[in-house]
Amino acid sequence: MEATAEAIIRKIESGYADIVRLYWSVPVTAVEEAGLPNGWSVKDVLAHIAAWEWRYASLIEASHDTDALLQAKPDIDALNQETYQERKEWGWEEVEYDFRAAHQAMLQAIRQFPAERLNDDFVQANIAEETWEHYAQHLPDLQRWHKRITSN
């Protein structure tokens, strides 16, 4: 499949917008309240996504000529726990700013990625896994949370 950075970014932005729409319409107190099945708050989920997007932006920037870093499989549970511990005390404003900044940094890294590399099947699958598929993992819990909050 022929892929351009902007086509990939449109797909990423669609998934990202699904998440943003869910937290935009509720009070900050609800966003900060631990109410998801794993004990996290929506703020914690956004901090988690931001940490992964910062990580991925760095990987993409360093992968213009090689798939080696994109093939690396970190200990996901350990990395999630580490980033949760680092960010759990952050205030809402800091988390939301970081969430948006990380996203923009990742999109910029994709825009600067060599066009011919974007057409590689492995690279496309990797981008999908690290972006819209990652958002989709969190979306059901966030949707249930939003429904509960807005129906009260």
Side-chain angles (χ1 to χ4, degrees):
M1 168 179 127
E2 182 77 15
T4 65
E6 291 310 313
I8 290 169
I9 287 170
R10 278 193 300 277
K11 178 79 172 161
I12 293 168
E13 289 288 72
S14 176
Y16 183 83
D18 289 341
I19 291 172
V20 171
R21 275 191 292 279
L22 291 173
Y23 78 81
W24 255 14
S25 61
V26 299
V28 171
T29 54
V31 173
E32 295 176 318
E33 181 180 291
L36 297 176
N38 65 356
W40 285 10
S41 66
V42 172
K43 178 185 76 122
D44 295 330
V45 171
L46 300 182
H48 158 83
I49 291 170
W52 280 94
E53 287 192 342
W54 282 120
R55 176 187 170 276
Y56 197 60
S58 295
L59 291 177
I60 285 288
E61 288 170 354
S63 297
H64 286 206
D65 299 321
T66 179
D67 288 342
L69 290 173
L70 300 178
Q71 292 171 341
K73 296 295 179 197
D75 181 338
I76 292 171
D77 292 336
L79 196 52
N80 286 342
Q81 186 60 28
E82 179 182 327
T83 58
Y84 173 76
Q85 291 301 322
E86 286 175 356
R87 296 160 182 248
K88 71 180 179 178
E89 299 302 324
W90 287 15
W92 167 240
E93 294 81 11
E94 186 174 11
V95 167
E96 186 179 32
Y97 176 82
D98 190 61
F99 179 67
R100 292 179 180 281
H103 189 68
Q104 290 307 311
M106 184 188 65
L107 295 180
Q108 187 61 27
I110 291 170
R111 281 186 180 100
Q112 294 175 347
F113 201 68
E116 66 278 359
R117 297 263 299 130
L118 285 176
N119 287 310
D120 181 89
D121 289 341
F122 172 76
V123 170
Q124 287 183 26
N126 188 263
I127 291 171
E129 178 183 355
E130 297 292 339
T131 60
W132 63 81
E133 290 175 5
H134 186 207
Y135 308 151
Q137 291 172 1
H138 296 287
L139 200 55
D141 286 342
L142 294 172
Q143 288 169 327
R144 283 189 291 276
W145 165 83
H146 186 265
K147 185 176 182 179
R148 188 181 80 245
I149 295 299
T150 57
S151 65
N152 287 340

